[in-house]
Amino acid sequence: MGQNLILNAADHGYNVIAFNRTVSKVDHFLANEAKGKSIEGAHSIEEFVSKLKKPRRMMLLVMAGKPVDDFIETLLPHCEKGDIIIDGGNSHFPDTNRRTKYLAGKGIRFVGTGVSGGEEGARYGPSLMPGGNEEAWPFIKNIFQDIAAKSDGEPCCEWVGDEGAGHYVKMVHNGIEYGDMQLICEVRSNGNMPLTQLTFSGLRYHEAWIGHARQGNR
């Protein structure tokens, strides 16, 4: 995910600094997928932070939970007031609430953003759901909306609210997605319906529901 978001940003004309604690992965990335693009590597946190323009915009894509807190603490000694830290993982929204408040007390602007679309979406256009410290939005809006997927010419990205709002929206998004997948699996399993017929029936149901909603019936 992180690698593909970096490539996406570079394709849109942004200079990107890549860091991984396994520095051999950085070297491999630079020698292969990132070769010839506006991407530089860093082999330490100090080098990573020093190469960024101020206010620094640092996006993390690490496992949710304690790893996010640990990485934030690793960054903090090298940050200055006004810098921006973005958590692009699937963090639980109460954790994002806590981190936003904690970092605001240190003068750091924290953003928790949902990222949807998987690896292919990250590469060619994800749906982004940023929330947190709204002071950060003017500094990340252009890059987020440039790399996001587009629908009818509009970016699939907008500021959704303060503190953990972005990760809350992503949680609801995931619940709907997995609920839909569960429904498809149960109908297919219990009804013994051919997949092609199930897909067609699902599309007809979707169209009927949309028509019902447009008439003002919810």
Side-chain angles (χ1 to χ4, degrees):
M1 287 284 287
Q3 180 172 298
N4 281 353
L5 280 173
I6 289 171
L7 293 169
N8 186 350
D11 285 349
H12 285 85
Y14 293 95
N15 296 317
V16 191
I17 310 300
F19 173 75
N20 190 299
R21 63 181 181 175
T22 306
V23 294
S24 60
K25 292 184 177 181
V26 177
D27 294 333
H28 183 271
F29 178 51
L30 294 175
N32 292 276
E33 296 90 346
K35 190 173 183 179
K37 296 184 179 290
S38 56
I39 300 169
E40 295 182 49
H43 292 88
S44 68
I45 290 291
E46 294 85 353
E47 184 185 6
F48 170 70
V49 175
S50 69
K51 285 186 171 183
L52 296 170
K53 294 180 180 179
K54 300 178 183 179
R56 301 175 181 94
R57 288 153 286 187
M58 299 163 281
M59 187 165 182
L60 317 180
L61 282 154
V62 299
M63 186 183 299
K66 189 174 182 296
V68 178
D69 292 315
D70 290 346
F71 207 91
I72 288 172
E73 293 303 322
T74 302
L75 285 172
L76 279 179
H78 311 285
C79 293
E80 298 177 9
K81 288 186 176 181
D83 285 346
I84 298 163
I85 297 176
I86 305 163
D87 174 17
N90 278 328
S91 289
H92 193 27
F93 71 92
D95 288 339
T96 309
N97 292 344
R98 170 177 54 80
R99 290 169 185 141
T100 304
K101 294 172 184 174
Y102 168 67
L103 289 168
K106 296 181 176 294
I108 306 298
R109 297 173 280 204
F110 185 71
V111 174
T113 183
V115 181
S116 181
E119 292 187 3
E120 185 173 351
R123 181 66 182 89
Y124 300 108
S127 172
L128 297 169
M129 298 151 255
N133 188 330
E134 195 167 3
E135 292 178 7
W137 183 230
F139 298 98
I140 65 173
K141 179 179 179 179
N142 286 346
I143 185 170
F144 267 44
Q145 294 192 338
D146 284 348
I147 69 173
K150 305 297 186 296
S151 178
D152 296 328
E154 295 295 321
C156 298
C157 170
E158 191 52 78
W159 187 259
V160 297
D162 60 5
E163 297 188 358
H167 281 139
Y168 181 86
V169 171
K170 182 58 162 57
M171 178 185 70
V172 174
H173 164 99
N174 284 348
I176 294 169
E177 176 186 2
Y178 299 146
D180 283 348
M181 294 192 321
Q182 179 75 17
L183 177 62
I184 292 169
C185 291
E186 290 189 8
V187 171
R188 174 74 176 88
S189 175
N190 296 331
N192 198 28
M193 184 184 293
L195 187 58
T196 53
Q197 184 180 346
L198 174 61
T199 304
F200 180 68
S201 299
L203 288 171
R204 291 185 61 184
Y205 171 79
H206 179 70
E207 291 169 359
W209 186 90
I210 292 295
H212 191 64
R214 284 175 175 167
Q215 294 170 13
N217 302 310
R218 302 283 178 176

